[in-house]
Amino acid sequence: MAMPRTGGPSQPDAVTDEEFARFCEFIYRRTGLSYGASKRYFIDRRILERVERSGVSSVQSYLALLRFDSTGRELEEIINSLTVNETYFWREEYQFACLANSILPEVVRTKRRGEPVRIWSLPCSTGEEPYSIAMWLLENWADVDQYDVEIIASDIDTQVLAAARQGLYDARSVQRLPKWVLDRYFERPTSDRWRIVDSLRSSIEFTRINASDRAQMAKMTDIDVIFCRNMLIYFDDVSRREVADSMYSSLRPGGFVCLGHSESMSRISPLFAVRRFADAIVYQRPAR
């Protein structure tokens, strides 16, 4: 005779249209990230995974947990599961060449030797971009030792920030780096892993920032160059403009923004001037 099953309540195996819409609206209000029907399968999977792991019995209960969780821990978990962190060292390196050859020489015209040069990587993901900036400047900017170069790296995802601080990478992440760069700036703890040397890891300041949170963004000031590549494509028009306004406020007059190759600030905000350098097109907060 078959015995009845015992245990906890069964888990839902689907997300309704109403639940999907409520979830997307909640995430949009909290992060500025905009998800539509094309991302339905991806979002549904993440919701159902968090329903199971959080121990609630339904998607509706999970949405209530998200809304009323005073600790913010569950929001952090779901954001970590939603963010895409596809990157590698020296990605779109022509912008690093532009930084060393054109942007920084212009930035330091108004600075005295020894003054800070502040560069911000947003979002920094697992750290390949800010470490790439540091390595490129050490090798290619003749005045790197004449100024106090500060590199700040921020992301909304706490898991990728932890990985960035650790500085441990696999073969895919380092595939574009020449051997001499690997030999100079990395250690080999195992045959298939490379770790950024301690001196370079300690030179980057990693911080958690939600780019759609104006109060958090306002804490970043006197920035000379912002690398904000391939993030704004995940925002809608309103959120893009709000983030652009925040970056404008964070920049020093005359500061620069580097976007991803498929992004254009001209379609987002009228506040920035287009600058066409030999290596790349970038965007500038006017000096006056």
PDB file of all heavy atoms in Angstrom, residues 220-256:
ATOM      1  N   MET A 220      30.386  59.691  -4.130  1.00  0.00           N
ATOM      2  CA  MET A 220      31.544  59.651  -5.010  1.00  0.00           C
ATOM      3  C   MET A 220      31.754  61.032  -5.613  1.00  0.00           C
ATOM      4  O   MET A 220      30.915  61.513  -6.380  1.00  0.00           O
ATOM      5  CB  MET A 220      31.340  58.614  -6.108  1.00  0.00           C
ATOM      6  CG  MET A 220      31.147  57.204  -5.582  1.00  0.00           C
ATOM      7  SD  MET A 220      32.597  56.582  -4.683  1.00  0.00           S
ATOM      8  CE  MET A 220      33.809  56.572  -5.991  1.00  0.00           C
ATOM      9  N   THR A 221      32.835  61.667  -5.263  1.00  0.00           N
ATOM     10  CA  THR A 221      33.084  63.038  -5.701  1.00  0.00           C
ATOM     11  C   THR A 221      34.506  63.185  -6.241  1.00  0.00           C
ATOM     12  O   THR A 221      35.370  62.341  -6.009  1.00  0.00           O
ATOM     13  CB  THR A 221      32.897  64.026  -4.538  1.00  0.00           C
ATOM     14  OG1 THR A 221      33.801  63.677  -3.468  1.00  0.00           O
ATOM     15  CG2 THR A 221      31.460  63.985  -4.010  1.00  0.00           C
ATOM     16  N   ASP A 222      34.715  64.268  -6.987  1.00  0.00           N
ATOM     17  CA  ASP A 222      36.044  64.631  -7.511  1.00  0.00           C
ATOM     18  C   ASP A 222      36.666  63.512  -8.350  1.00  0.00           C
ATOM     19  O   ASP A 222      37.865  63.269  -8.299  1.00  0.00           O
ATOM     20  CB  ASP A 222      36.994  65.014  -6.373  1.00  0.00           C
ATOM     21  CG  ASP A 222      36.559  66.273  -5.656  1.00  0.00           C
ATOM     22  OD1 ASP A 222      36.010  67.172  -6.320  1.00  0.00           O
ATOM     23  OD2 ASP A 222      36.746  66.362  -4.430  1.00  0.00           O
ATOM     24  N   ILE A 223      35.822  62.834  -9.134  1.00  0.00           N
ATOM     25  CA  ILE A 223      36.314  61.771 -10.003  1.00  0.00           C
ATOM     26  C   ILE A 223      36.829  62.386 -11.305  1.00  0.00           C
ATOM     27  O   ILE A 223      36.184  63.254 -11.892  1.00  0.00           O
ATOM     28  CB  ILE A 223      35.213  60.743 -10.293  1.00  0.00           C
ATOM     29  CG1 ILE A 223      34.661  60.157  -8.988  1.00  0.00           C
ATOM     30  CG2 ILE A 223      35.740  59.640 -11.208  1.00  0.00           C
ATOM     31  CD1 ILE A 223      35.665  59.382  -8.177  1.00  0.00           C
ATOM     32  N   ASP A 224      37.960  61.908 -11.780  1.00  0.00           N
ATOM     33  CA  ASP A 224      38.522  62.402 -13.040  1.00  0.00           C
ATOM     34  C   ASP A 224      38.082  61.574 -14.242  1.00  0.00           C
ATOM     35  O   ASP A 224      37.857  62.124 -15.323  1.00  0.00           O
ATOM     36  CB  ASP A 224      40.052  62.401 -12.964  1.00  0.00           C
ATOM     37  CG  ASP A 224      40.581  63.404 -11.958  1.00  0.00           C
ATOM     38  OD1 ASP A 224      40.357  64.616 -12.165  1.00  0.00           O
ATOM     39  OD2 ASP A 224      41.205  62.986 -10.966  1.00  0.00           O
ATOM     40  N   VAL A 225      37.973  60.261 -14.062  1.00  0.00           N
ATOM     41  CA  VAL A 225      37.578  59.380 -15.163  1.00  0.00           C
ATOM     42  C   VAL A 225      36.674  58.276 -14.616  1.00  0.00           C
ATOM     43  O   VAL A 225      37.012  57.653 -13.605  1.00  0.00           O
ATOM     44  CB  VAL A 225      38.798  58.732 -15.860  1.00  0.00           C
ATOM     45  CG1 VAL A 225      38.336  57.924 -17.080  1.00  0.00           C
ATOM     46  CG2 VAL A 225      39.826  59.775 -16.272  1.00  0.00           C
ATOM     47  N   ILE A 226      35.550  58.039 -15.296  1.00  0.00           N
ATOM     48  CA  ILE A 226      34.651  56.939 -14.943  1.00  0.00           C
ATOM     49  C   ILE A 226      34.627  55.941 -16.097  1.00  0.00           C
ATOM     50  O   ILE A 226      34.392  56.322 -17.251  1.00  0.00           O
ATOM     51  CB  ILE A 226      33.220  57.430 -14.675  1.00  0.00           C
ATOM     52  CG1 ILE A 226      33.182  58.420 -13.508  1.00  0.00           C
ATOM     53  CG2 ILE A 226      32.289  56.244 -14.389  1.00  0.00           C
ATOM     54  CD1 ILE A 226      31.817  59.057 -13.276  1.00  0.00           C
ATOM     55  N   PHE A 227      34.880  54.681 -15.785  1.00  0.00           N
ATOM     56  CA  PHE A 227      34.644  53.599 -16.728  1.00  0.00           C
ATOM     57  C   PHE A 227      33.304  52.970 -16.356  1.00  0.00           C
ATOM     58  O   PHE A 227      33.182  52.324 -15.310  1.00  0.00           O
ATOM     59  CB  PHE A 227      35.765  52.554 -16.651  1.00  0.00           C
ATOM     60  CG  PHE A 227      37.004  52.929 -17.410  1.00  0.00           C
ATOM     61  CD1 PHE A 227      37.917  53.820 -16.874  1.00  0.00           C
ATOM     62  CD2 PHE A 227      37.244  52.402 -18.674  1.00  0.00           C
ATOM     63  CE1 PHE A 227      39.060  54.184 -17.580  1.00  0.00           C
ATOM     64  CE2 PHE A 227      38.386  52.755 -19.384  1.00  0.00           C
ATOM     65  CZ  PHE A 227      39.301  53.653 -18.839  1.00  0.00           C
ATOM     66  N   CYS A 228      32.306  53.173 -17.207  1.00  0.00           N
ATOM     67  CA  CYS A 228      30.975  52.612 -16.968  1.00  0.00           C
ATOM     68  C   CYS A 228      30.569  51.882 -18.243  1.00  0.00           C
ATOM     69  O   CYS A 228      29.822  52.397 -19.070  1.00  0.00           O
ATOM     70  CB  CYS A 228      29.981  53.708 -16.618  1.00  0.00           C
ATOM     71  SG  CYS A 228      28.312  53.093 -16.257  1.00  0.00           S
ATOM     72  N   ARG A 229      31.090  50.680 -18.393  1.00  0.00           N
ATOM     73  CA  ARG A 229      30.967  49.980 -19.662  1.00  0.00           C
ATOM     74  C   ARG A 229      29.969  48.821 -19.561  1.00  0.00           C
ATOM     75  O   ARG A 229      30.077  47.977 -18.683  1.00  0.00           O
ATOM     76  CB  ARG A 229      32.345  49.475 -20.111  1.00  0.00           C
ATOM     77  CG  ARG A 229      33.379  50.610 -20.155  1.00  0.00           C
ATOM     78  CD  ARG A 229      34.650  50.236 -20.831  1.00  0.00           C
ATOM     79  NE  ARG A 229      35.381  49.170 -20.162  1.00  0.00           N
ATOM     80  CZ  ARG A 229      36.560  48.701 -20.610  1.00  0.00           C
ATOM     81  NH1 ARG A 229      37.090  49.201 -21.710  1.00  0.00           N
ATOM     82  NH2 ARG A 229      37.177  47.742 -19.955  1.00  0.00           N
ATOM     83  N   ASN A 230      29.009  48.846 -20.485  1.00  0.00           N
ATOM     84  CA  ASN A 230      28.048  47.742 -20.622  1.00  0.00           C
ATOM     85  C   ASN A 230      27.165  47.546 -19.385  1.00  0.00           C
ATOM     86  O   ASN A 230      26.762  46.429 -19.089  1.00  0.00           O
ATOM     87  CB  ASN A 230      28.792  46.442 -20.957  1.00  0.00           C
ATOM     88  CG  ASN A 230      29.690  46.586 -22.167  1.00  0.00           C
ATOM     89  OD1 ASN A 230      29.240  47.012 -23.224  1.00  0.00           O
ATOM     90  ND2 ASN A 230      30.967  46.270 -22.011  1.00  0.00           N
ATOM     91  N   MET A 231      26.868  48.627 -18.685  1.00  0.00           N
ATOM     92  CA  MET A 231      25.904  48.579 -17.593  1.00  0.00           C
ATOM     93  C   MET A 231      24.594  49.240 -17.984  1.00  0.00           C
ATOM     94  O   MET A 231      23.506  48.709 -17.706  1.00  0.00           O
ATOM     95  CB  MET A 231      26.454  49.272 -16.340  1.00  0.00           C
ATOM     96  CG  MET A 231      25.466  49.252 -15.157  1.00  0.00           C
ATOM     97  SD  MET A 231      26.020  50.164 -13.702  1.00  0.00           S
ATOM     98  CE  MET A 231      25.715  51.861 -14.222  1.00  0.00           C
ATOM     99  N   LEU A 232      24.654  50.386 -18.647  1.00  0.00           N
ATOM    100  CA  LEU A 232      23.451  51.161 -18.928  1.00  0.00           C
ATOM    101  C   LEU A 232      22.512  50.451 -19.886  1.00  0.00           C
ATOM    102  O   LEU A 232      21.320  50.787 -19.947  1.00  0.00           O
ATOM    103  CB  LEU A 232      23.833  52.538 -19.482  1.00  0.00           C
ATOM    104  CG  LEU A 232      24.620  53.424 -18.508  1.00  0.00           C
ATOM    105  CD1 LEU A 232      24.992  54.746 -19.178  1.00  0.00           C
ATOM    106  CD2 LEU A 232      23.820  53.682 -17.239  1.00  0.00           C
ATOM    107  N   ILE A 233      22.987  49.448 -20.612  1.00  0.00           N
ATOM    108  CA  ILE A 233      22.113  48.698 -21.507  1.00  0.00           C
ATOM    109  C   ILE A 233      21.056  47.919 -20.738  1.00  0.00           C
ATOM    110  O   ILE A 233      20.046  47.503 -21.317  1.00  0.00           O
ATOM    111  CB  ILE A 233      22.920  47.736 -22.409  1.00  0.00           C
ATOM    112  CG1 ILE A 233      23.769  46.783 -21.554  1.00  0.00           C
ATOM    113  CG2 ILE A 233      23.780  48.499 -23.382  1.00  0.00           C
ATOM    114  CD1 ILE A 233      24.517  45.745 -22.367  1.00  0.00           C
ATOM    115  N   TYR A 234      21.243  47.721 -19.431  1.00  0.00           N
ATOM    116  CA  TYR A 234      20.269  46.988 -18.616  1.00  0.00           C
ATOM    117  C   TYR A 234      19.244  47.909 -17.961  1.00  0.00           C
ATOM    118  O   TYR A 234      18.386  47.440 -17.217  1.00  0.00           O
ATOM    119  CB  TYR A 234      20.999  46.183 -17.538  1.00  0.00           C
ATOM    120  CG  TYR A 234      21.903  45.123 -18.118  1.00  0.00           C
ATOM    121  CD1 TYR A 234      23.272  45.308 -18.180  1.00  0.00           C
ATOM    122  CD2 TYR A 234      21.370  43.941 -18.634  1.00  0.00           C
ATOM    123  CE1 TYR A 234      24.107  44.338 -18.725  1.00  0.00           C
ATOM    124  CE2 TYR A 234      22.197  42.974 -19.181  1.00  0.00           C
ATOM    125  CZ  TYR A 234      23.559  43.173 -19.230  1.00  0.00           C
ATOM    126  OH  TYR A 234      24.383  42.219 -19.780  1.00  0.00           O
ATOM    127  N   PHE A 235      19.327  49.222 -18.226  1.00  0.00           N
ATOM    128  CA  PHE A 235      18.413  50.188 -17.648  1.00  0.00           C
ATOM    129  C   PHE A 235      17.459  50.698 -18.722  1.00  0.00           C
ATOM    130  O   PHE A 235      17.769  50.679 -19.913  1.00  0.00           O
ATOM    131  CB  PHE A 235      19.183  51.375 -17.065  1.00  0.00           C
ATOM    132  CG  PHE A 235      19.988  51.045 -15.838  1.00  0.00           C
ATOM    133  CD1 PHE A 235      21.119  50.256 -15.915  1.00  0.00           C
ATOM    134  CD2 PHE A 235      19.622  51.543 -14.604  1.00  0.00           C
ATOM    135  CE1 PHE A 235      21.863  49.956 -14.789  1.00  0.00           C
ATOM    136  CE2 PHE A 235      20.361  51.252 -13.464  1.00  0.00           C
ATOM    137  CZ  PHE A 235      21.490  50.453 -13.560  1.00  0.00           C
ATOM    138  N   ASP A 236      16.298  51.194 -18.292  1.00  0.00           N
ATOM    139  CA  ASP A 236      15.414  51.853 -19.252  1.00  0.00           C
ATOM    140  C   ASP A 236      15.847  53.314 -19.399  1.00  0.00           C
ATOM    141  O   ASP A 236      16.794  53.774 -18.749  1.00  0.00           O
ATOM    142  CB  ASP A 236      13.949  51.727 -18.832  1.00  0.00           C
ATOM    143  CG  ASP A 236      13.611  52.495 -17.553  1.00  0.00           C
ATOM    144  OD1 ASP A 236      14.496  53.149 -16.981  1.00  0.00           O
ATOM    145  OD2 ASP A 236      12.436  52.420 -17.129  1.00  0.00           O
ATOM    146  N   ASP A 237      15.151  54.062 -20.268  1.00  0.00           N
ATOM    147  CA  ASP A 237      15.587  55.424 -20.588  1.00  0.00           C
ATOM    148  C   ASP A 237      15.621  56.332 -19.366  1.00  0.00           C
ATOM    149  O   ASP A 237      16.547  57.136 -19.194  1.00  0.00           O
ATOM    150  CB  ASP A 237      14.662  56.032 -21.650  1.00  0.00           C
ATOM    151  CG  ASP A 237      14.829  55.369 -23.007  1.00  0.00           C
ATOM    152  OD1 ASP A 237      15.859  54.690 -23.208  1.00  0.00           O
ATOM    153  OD2 ASP A 237      13.933  55.523 -23.861  1.00  0.00           O
ATOM    154  N   VAL A 238      14.600  56.216 -18.507  1.00  0.00           N
ATOM    155  CA  VAL A 238      14.538  57.073 -17.322  1.00  0.00           C
ATOM    156  C   VAL A 238      15.706  56.778 -16.383  1.00  0.00           C
ATOM    157  O   VAL A 238      16.395  57.695 -15.912  1.00  0.00           O
ATOM    158  CB  VAL A 238      13.194  56.888 -16.591  1.00  0.00           C
ATOM    159  CG1 VAL A 238      13.196  57.655 -15.267  1.00  0.00           C
ATOM    160  CG2 VAL A 238      12.039  57.357 -17.476  1.00  0.00           C
ATOM    161  N   SER A 239      15.958  55.504 -16.122  1.00  0.00           N
ATOM    162  CA  SER A 239      17.031  55.124 -15.204  1.00  0.00           C
ATOM    163  C   SER A 239      18.400  55.479 -15.782  1.00  0.00           C
ATOM    164  O   SER A 239      19.297  55.893 -15.049  1.00  0.00           O
ATOM    165  CB  SER A 239      16.967  53.626 -14.895  1.00  0.00           C
ATOM    166  OG  SER A 239      15.767  53.306 -14.228  1.00  0.00           O
ATOM    167  N   ARG A 240      18.556  55.312 -17.094  1.00  0.00           N
ATOM    168  CA  ARG A 240      19.833  55.690 -17.724  1.00  0.00           C
ATOM    169  C   ARG A 240      20.125  57.168 -17.499  1.00  0.00           C
ATOM    170  O   ARG A 240      21.247  57.546 -17.168  1.00  0.00           O
ATOM    171  CB  ARG A 240      19.796  55.404 -19.229  1.00  0.00           C
ATOM    172  CG  ARG A 240      19.885  53.952 -19.611  1.00  0.00           C
ATOM    173  CD  ARG A 240      20.091  53.803 -21.113  1.00  0.00           C
ATOM    174  NE  ARG A 240      19.834  52.432 -21.515  1.00  0.00           N
ATOM    175  CZ  ARG A 240      18.742  52.022 -22.143  1.00  0.00           C
ATOM    176  NH1 ARG A 240      17.813  52.902 -22.487  1.00  0.00           N
ATOM    177  NH2 ARG A 240      18.575  50.755 -22.461  1.00  0.00           N
ATOM    178  N   ARG A 241      19.109  57.981 -17.701  1.00  0.00           N
ATOM    179  CA  ARG A 241      19.306  59.424 -17.537  1.00  0.00           C
ATOM    180  C   ARG A 241      19.647  59.757 -16.082  1.00  0.00           C
ATOM    181  O   ARG A 241      20.525  60.607 -15.817  1.00  0.00           O
ATOM    182  CB  ARG A 241      18.045  60.175 -17.974  1.00  0.00           C
ATOM    183  CG  ARG A 241      18.126  61.696 -17.772  1.00  0.00           C
ATOM    184  CD  ARG A 241      19.281  62.325 -18.546  1.00  0.00           C
ATOM    185  NE  ARG A 241      19.476  63.717 -18.196  1.00  0.00           N
ATOM    186  CZ  ARG A 241      18.893  64.737 -18.822  1.00  0.00           C
ATOM    187  NH1 ARG A 241      18.077  64.503 -19.844  1.00  0.00           N
ATOM    188  NH2 ARG A 241      19.111  65.970 -18.457  1.00  0.00           N
ATOM    189  N   GLU A 242      18.998  59.093 -15.137  1.00  0.00           N
ATOM    190  CA  GLU A 242      19.276  59.351 -13.726  1.00  0.00           C
ATOM    191  C   GLU A 242      20.710  58.964 -13.371  1.00  0.00           C
ATOM    192  O   GLU A 242      21.395  59.695 -12.646  1.00  0.00           O
ATOM    193  CB  GLU A 242      18.287  58.597 -12.850  1.00  0.00           C
ATOM    194  CG  GLU A 242      16.868  59.147 -12.924  1.00  0.00           C
ATOM    195  CD  GLU A 242      15.882  58.316 -12.126  1.00  0.00           C
ATOM    196  OE1 GLU A 242      16.268  57.208 -11.665  1.00  0.00           O
ATOM    197  OE2 GLU A 242      14.730  58.759 -11.957  1.00  0.00           O
ATOM    198  N   VAL A 243      21.178  57.811 -13.880  1.00  0.00           N
ATOM    199  CA  VAL A 243      22.551  57.391 -13.605  1.00  0.00           C
ATOM    200  C   VAL A 243      23.537  58.352 -14.267  1.00  0.00           C
ATOM    201  O   VAL A 243      24.563  58.710 -13.680  1.00  0.00           O
ATOM    202  CB  VAL A 243      22.792  55.952 -14.086  1.00  0.00           C
ATOM    203  CG1 VAL A 243      24.261  55.568 -13.936  1.00  0.00           C
ATOM    204  CG2 VAL A 243      21.918  54.974 -13.291  1.00  0.00           C
ATOM    205  N   ALA A 244      23.231  58.783 -15.490  1.00  0.00           N
ATOM    206  CA  ALA A 244      24.097  59.746 -16.174  1.00  0.00           C
ATOM    207  C   ALA A 244      24.196  61.051 -15.382  1.00  0.00           C
ATOM    208  O   ALA A 244      25.277  61.639 -15.253  1.00  0.00           O
ATOM    209  CB  ALA A 244      23.589  60.008 -17.586  1.00  0.00           C
ATOM    210  N   ASP A 245      23.066  61.515 -14.840  1.00  0.00           N
ATOM    211  CA  ASP A 245      23.083  62.727 -14.020  1.00  0.00           C
ATOM    212  C   ASP A 245      23.967  62.541 -12.788  1.00  0.00           C
ATOM    213  O   ASP A 245      24.720  63.451 -12.408  1.00  0.00           O
ATOM    214  CB  ASP A 245      21.660  63.078 -13.575  1.00  0.00           C
ATOM    215  CG  ASP A 245      20.793  63.595 -14.712  1.00  0.00           C
ATOM    216  OD1 ASP A 245      21.348  63.869 -15.794  1.00  0.00           O
ATOM    217  OD2 ASP A 245      19.569  63.707 -14.517  1.00  0.00           O
ATOM    218  N   SER A 246      23.879  61.358 -12.167  1.00  0.00           N
ATOM    219  CA  SER A 246      24.698  61.092 -10.985  1.00  0.00           C
ATOM    220  C   SER A 246      26.180  61.064 -11.341  1.00  0.00           C
ATOM    221  O   SER A 246      27.019  61.594 -10.599  1.00  0.00           O
ATOM    222  CB  SER A 246      24.292  59.756 -10.349  1.00  0.00           C
ATOM    223  OG  SER A 246      22.992  59.821  -9.808  1.00  0.00           O
ATOM    224  N   MET A 247      26.526  60.444 -12.467  1.00  0.00           N
ATOM    225  CA  MET A 247      27.928  60.415 -12.886  1.00  0.00           C
ATOM    226  C   MET A 247      28.432  61.820 -13.188  1.00  0.00           C
ATOM    227  O   MET A 247      29.573  62.160 -12.856  1.00  0.00           O
ATOM    228  CB  MET A 247      28.101  59.501 -14.100  1.00  0.00           C
ATOM    229  CG  MET A 247      27.937  58.032 -13.785  1.00  0.00           C
ATOM    230  SD  MET A 247      28.525  56.928 -15.108  1.00  0.00           S
ATOM    231  CE  MET A 247      27.326  57.270 -16.396  1.00  0.00           C
ATOM    232  N   TYR A 248      27.603  62.626 -13.815  1.00  0.00           N
ATOM    233  CA  TYR A 248      27.976  64.017 -14.089  1.00  0.00           C
ATOM    234  C   TYR A 248      28.327  64.743 -12.791  1.00  0.00           C
ATOM    235  O   TYR A 248      29.332  65.463 -12.713  1.00  0.00           O
ATOM    236  CB  TYR A 248      26.824  64.720 -14.799  1.00  0.00           C
ATOM    237  CG  TYR A 248      27.093  66.147 -15.189  1.00  0.00           C
ATOM    238  CD1 TYR A 248      27.644  66.464 -16.419  1.00  0.00           C
ATOM    239  CD2 TYR A 248      26.773  67.183 -14.316  1.00  0.00           C
ATOM    240  CE1 TYR A 248      27.890  67.788 -16.773  1.00  0.00           C
ATOM    241  CE2 TYR A 248      27.004  68.505 -14.667  1.00  0.00           C
ATOM    242  CZ  TYR A 248      27.570  68.797 -15.894  1.00  0.00           C
ATOM    243  OH  TYR A 248      27.810  70.113 -16.236  1.00  0.00           O
ATOM    244  N   SER A 249      27.497  64.541 -11.760  1.00  0.00           N
ATOM    245  CA  SER A 249      27.745  65.195 -10.480  1.00  0.00           C
ATOM    246  C   SER A 249      29.006  64.669  -9.807  1.00  0.00           C
ATOM    247  O   SER A 249      29.695  65.419  -9.088  1.00  0.00           O
ATOM    248  CB  SER A 249      26.540  65.004  -9.549  1.00  0.00           C
ATOM    249  OG  SER A 249      25.376  65.600 -10.095  1.00  0.00           O
ATOM    250  N   SER A 250      29.323  63.394 -10.010  1.00  0.00           N
ATOM    251  CA  SER A 250      30.512  62.808  -9.378  1.00  0.00           C
ATOM    252  C   SER A 250      31.805  63.271 -10.029  1.00  0.00           C
ATOM    253  O   SER A 250      32.861  63.270  -9.392  1.00  0.00           O
ATOM    254  CB  SER A 250      30.441  61.278  -9.436  1.00  0.00           C
ATOM    255  OG  SER A 250      29.389  60.785  -8.632  1.00  0.00           O
ATOM    256  N   LEU A 251      31.735  63.647 -11.298  1.00  0.00           N
ATOM    257  CA  LEU A 251      32.938  64.045 -12.018  1.00  0.00           C
ATOM    258  C   LEU A 251      33.390  65.454 -11.644  1.00  0.00           C
ATOM    259  O   LEU A 251      32.567  66.347 -11.402  1.00  0.00           O
ATOM    260  CB  LEU A 251      32.683  64.020 -13.523  1.00  0.00           C
ATOM    261  CG  LEU A 251      32.625  62.665 -14.214  1.00  0.00           C
ATOM    262  CD1 LEU A 251      32.097  62.839 -15.643  1.00  0.00           C
ATOM    263  CD2 LEU A 251      33.996  62.000 -14.237  1.00  0.00           C
ATOM    264  N   ARG A 252      34.685  65.647 -11.642  1.00  0.00           N
ATOM    265  CA  ARG A 252      35.218  67.000 -11.607  1.00  0.00           C
ATOM    266  C   ARG A 252      34.913  67.680 -12.938  1.00  0.00           C
ATOM    267  O   ARG A 252      34.792  67.008 -13.965  1.00  0.00           O
ATOM    268  CB  ARG A 252      36.745  66.972 -11.420  1.00  0.00           C
ATOM    269  CG  ARG A 252      37.199  66.478 -10.062  1.00  0.00           C
ATOM    270  CD  ARG A 252      38.700  66.221 -10.071  1.00  0.00           C
ATOM    271  NE  ARG A 252      39.451  67.393 -10.509  1.00  0.00           N
ATOM    272  CZ  ARG A 252      39.893  68.352  -9.705  1.00  0.00           C
ATOM    273  NH1 ARG A 252      39.682  68.264  -8.391  1.00  0.00           N
ATOM    274  NH2 ARG A 252      40.563  69.379 -10.166  1.00  0.00           N
ATOM    275  N   PRO A 253      34.763  69.003 -12.967  1.00  0.00           N
ATOM    276  CA  PRO A 253      34.639  69.678 -14.260  1.00  0.00           C
ATOM    277  C   PRO A 253      35.818  69.302 -15.159  1.00  0.00           C
ATOM    278  O   PRO A 253      36.969  69.338 -14.746  1.00  0.00           O
ATOM    279  CB  PRO A 253      34.681  71.169 -13.884  1.00  0.00           C
ATOM    280  CG  PRO A 253      34.142  71.197 -12.488  1.00  0.00           C
ATOM    281  CD  PRO A 253      34.644  69.940 -11.832  1.00  0.00           C
ATOM    282  N   GLY A 254      35.495  68.895 -16.385  1.00  0.00           N
ATOM    283  CA  GLY A 254      36.534  68.425 -17.301  1.00  0.00           C
ATOM    284  C   GLY A 254      36.777  66.931 -17.235  1.00  0.00           C
ATOM    285  O   GLY A 254      37.586  66.401 -17.993  1.00  0.00           O
ATOM    286  N   GLY A 255      36.068  66.219 -16.326  1.00  0.00           N
ATOM    287  CA  GLY A 255      36.241  64.783 -16.196  1.00  0.00           C
ATOM    288  C   GLY A 255      35.590  64.010 -17.336  1.00  0.00           C
ATOM    289  O   GLY A 255      34.754  64.538 -18.075  1.00  0.00           O
ATOM    290  N   PHE A 256      35.964  62.730 -17.457  1.00  0.00           N
ATOM    291  CA  PHE A 256      35.570  61.921 -18.611  1.00  0.00           C
ATOM    292  C   PHE A 256      34.789  60.670 -18.198  1.00  0.00           C
ATOM    293  O   PHE A 256      34.984  60.132 -17.101  1.00  0.00           O
ATOM    294  CB  PHE A 256      36.812  61.470 -19.385  1.00  0.00           C
ATOM    295  CG  PHE A 256      37.556  62.586 -20.047  1.00  0.00           C
ATOM    296  CD1 PHE A 256      38.525  63.310 -19.356  1.00  0.00           C
ATOM    297  CD2 PHE A 256      37.305  62.919 -21.373  1.00  0.00           C
ATOM    298  CE1 PHE A 256      39.225  64.340 -19.966  1.00  0.00           C
ATOM    299  CE2 PHE A 256      37.996  63.950 -21.997  1.00  0.00           C
ATOM    300  CZ  PHE A 256      38.957  64.662 -21.298  1.00  0.00           C
TER     301      PHE A 256
END
